[in-house]
Amino acid sequence: SRSKRQNSKSEVEQVLELVGLADSAKKYTKELSGGMKQRVAIARTLINKPDIILMDEPFGALDPHVRLKLQDLLLEIEAKLRTTIVFVTHDVREAVYLGDTIYISTLRPCFLKYCFHHPFIKEEIPRKQARDENKKDFMQFQNEVEDLLNNVIEHPSQARKIEPGDWRTLRRSTMGLLEELDRDK
């Protein structure tokens, strides 16, 4: 029906506006840059109104300046839509900048080793402001995370350092979320 199509068009326009592609809506794929293609991928995900977004190294192939812009875009999306985002990255700076909670795991097999609840991220303070106002402490936290990551890389078989409560919290929240999504189908 016509009104349903208009609603869909309106939703698409809103999502394109949110990801910064409103001016590029009529472009062909071959006319888009790598950063714009990544924005399209994010828009395709958002149009489905997910409760959770899983992102595995989404910005890894992008230029550093484009990567920084997309990190800020992701924070804007999270703030506006209140969507949970599970973001996998090998870049400690990216993890510290984007993450409210940071987990460090081993590679194959994947064992959780550490869990950090970000000390500077508060609901009422924008991420950039928190980073800029606590630059020295922010950098120190980043260095601590990097040191522990390096320890995991150098000693992958070392006993887990993650607290049992952190594991239960992650498992409970993940399982609860998956069960909730399953019920909604």
Side-chain angles (χ1 to χ4, degrees), residues 21 39 56 107 127 141 164 174:
L21 288 176
R39 289 171 188 258
D56 187 4
L107 296 172
R127 187 87 37 141
F141 176 63
T174 306

Side-chain angles (χ1 to χ4, degrees), residues 24-34 36-37 40:
S24 303
K26 303 272 186 209
K27 288 187 178 182
Y28 291 100
T29 307
K30 64 184 178 189
E31 298 175 298
L32 301 176
S33 68
M36 292 169 90
K37 287 177 184 175
V40 169

Side-chain angles (χ1 to χ4, degrees), residues 136-147:
K136 185 178 176 188
D137 294 333
F138 212 91
M139 294 297 287
Q140 184 175 345
F141 176 63
Q142 180 178 304
N143 290 338
E144 288 171 17
V145 173
E146 200 159 321
D147 288 346

Side-chain angles (χ1 to χ4, degrees), residues 11-26 39-40 43 47:
E11 287 177 14
V12 169
E13 289 169 350
Q14 288 173 359
V15 169
L16 287 175
E17 183 72 35
L18 182 62
V19 298
L21 288 176
D23 295 338
S24 303
K26 303 272 186 209
R39 289 171 188 258
V40 169
I47 200 70

Side-chain angles (χ1 to χ4, degrees), residues 103-115:
Y103 291 92
I104 295 178
S105 69
T106 59
L107 296 172
R108 299 181 205 99
C110 180
F111 292 115
L112 291 178
K113 291 282 192 166
Y114 297 99
C115 171

Side-chain angles (χ1 to χ4, degrees), residues 57-73:
E57 287 283 338
F59 307 148
L62 301 175
D63 293 334
H65 67 281
V66 175
R67 186 178 194 143
L68 294 174
K69 285 182 182 178
L70 287 177
Q71 289 172 358
D72 288 337
L73 172 68

Side-chain angles (χ1 to χ4, degrees), residues 26-156:
K26 303 272 186 209
K27 288 187 178 182
Y28 291 100
T29 307
K30 64 184 178 189
E31 298 175 298
L32 301 176
S33 68
M36 292 169 90
K37 287 177 184 175
Q38 192 61 47
R39 289 171 188 258
V40 169
I42 293 169
R44 289 176 64 193
T45 300
L46 294 177
I47 200 70
N48 294 310
K49 299 179 181 138
D51 293 323
I52 186 169
I53 298 172
L54 303 173
M55 301 182 88
D56 187 4
E57 287 283 338
F59 307 148
L62 301 175
D63 293 334
H65 67 281
V66 175
R67 186 178 194 143
L68 294 174
K69 285 182 182 178
L70 287 177
Q71 289 172 358
D72 288 337
L73 172 68
L74 201 59
L75 292 173
E76 288 174 31
I77 289 169
E78 189 272 333
K80 285 180 184 171
L81 301 182
R82 309 297 299 157
T83 299
T84 299
I85 300 172
V86 177
F87 193 96
V88 177
T89 183
H90 295 95
D91 185 332
V92 172
R93 287 173 297 175
E94 190 166 61
V96 169
Y97 184 57
L98 294 176
D100 295 335
T101 305
I102 300 165
Y103 291 92
I104 295 178
S105 69
T106 59
L107 296 172
R108 299 181 205 99
C110 180
F111 292 115
L112 291 178
K113 291 282 192 166
Y114 297 99
C115 171
F116 305 93
H117 301 285
H118 205 301
F120 304 109
I121 303 308
K122 307 285 184 254
E123 290 274 333
E124 64 277 0
I125 302 173
R127 187 87 37 141
K128 273 185 170 179
Q129 182 183 339
R131 181 188 59 191
D132 294 345
E133 289 178 2
N134 301 288
K135 195 151 197 108
K136 185 178 176 188
D137 294 333
F138 212 91
M139 294 297 287
Q140 184 175 345
F141 176 63
Q142 180 178 304
N143 290 338
E144 288 171 17
V145 173
E146 200 159 321
D147 288 346
L148 289 173
L149 175 62
N150 288 332
N151 185 51
V152 168
I153 292 168
E154 291 169 17
H155 310 287

